[in-house]
Each structure stands twice: as C-alpha cells, then as structure tokens.
Amino acid sequence: MPLSRRGLIGLSAISLLAACSGAEAFAPLKGGPITPREVTRARVVAAINGIRMAHGKPPLRYCPELETAARTQATLMATKDQLSHDLGETLRQRVSKAGYEGAVGENVAGGQQTLEQAIDGWMHSRGHRETLLSTKFVEFGLAVSVVPKTKRSRYGVYWAFIAGGPTSAWMT
C-alpha cells in the first residue's frame, strides 16, 4: 500500500525529531517494519528518504536500472551464500549491464530481517553511512533476496542498495 502524503510528512517529522535527539534509528513506517515480503518501491523510497531527511540530506529518486543491478547482487549473494561486493562481476559491470552509466556506490548487508535493520547497520558503518547520505548521489535502487528455508544459509536474507549520480559530482 503506498504511503500517503500525510504519512510521509509524519514519518519525516518523526525522523527529524529522532535526528535532533541524537538517535540513529528511525521510526518504522506505517504498517510496521519492512520485511523482505513487504518490500515495495513506495516503502523503500520512504525509508531511504526518511533517514536522509533525518540527517538533513535531500531525497533520492528511485531508479529502475539501479534496482536491477541491486537485484542481481542480492540474488548472487543469496545463491552463493556470501556477503560480498564482488561475486564474479564488479559493481561497475553490474550497473553498466543494467543500463546505468553514472557514478555509483553500493551497500550490502546480510542477516537483517527488516529493511530498518539493514539501514541501521549501514548507518553504524562509516563507509556505508557515507554512501547512504552522500549528496553527490541523486538516485538509488534497492533489492532483497531470501534464501529458501530448505537450504542452509549463513545469513538467510541479503540486501543490496546502489546509489547513483552524475560522474561530474566526483570531479571536484
């Protein structure tokens, strides 16, 4: 179910208050935490932009090409049961194959049962936090892949977030 304008404004206000209090986490979106089965574009955009707004950063647009590259990575990690940025294809190769040619940065996570947990983990890692909050990026894609319960898995759930933007932003 898409988040209403009123709901997004409420989430933004809660996120801003959390930022002012020094809290790193943000309030779950309406409907509770976002599990892999409950991931929708609207909920992902609201969650990512909620944490960015809580830290005074502009929102990112959602990019289907970056989602495709993120889905490739999340699926590869789940298939190989490995948490890694490079599982036979580099980030640049994946995004180019998906039709994206701008500058990119990637966050991956494994084992988190909700999107909020994945974001919280990224926010507590300097490099991942910088990718998530960079103002040089203007768009993103995100995907999650779950290993079937019938297979043994180290993490079970794999998340991939790819942010993108113009290469010119990195030239200065």
Side-chain angles (χ1 to χ4, degrees), residues 99-116:
Y100 193 84
E101 294 303 325
V104 289
E106 179 179 60
N107 289 349
V108 296
Q112 296 81 1
Q113 298 302 304
T114 67
L115 177 58
E116 292 84 353

Side-chain angles (χ1 to χ4, degrees), residues 122-158:
W122 293 331
M123 290 299 290
H124 284 90
S125 165
R126 185 173 168 250
H128 293 101
R129 179 187 178 99
E130 288 173 5
T131 299
L132 189 59
L133 299 180
S134 175
T135 56
K136 294 180 179 181
F137 294 127
V138 297
E139 54 197 349
F140 79 100
L142 184 138
V144 60
S145 187
V146 179
V147 177
K149 292 199 182 285
T150 56
K151 291 180 73 177
R152 269 186 93 163
S153 173
R154 181 173 179 186
Y155 296 104
V157 180
Y158 292 89

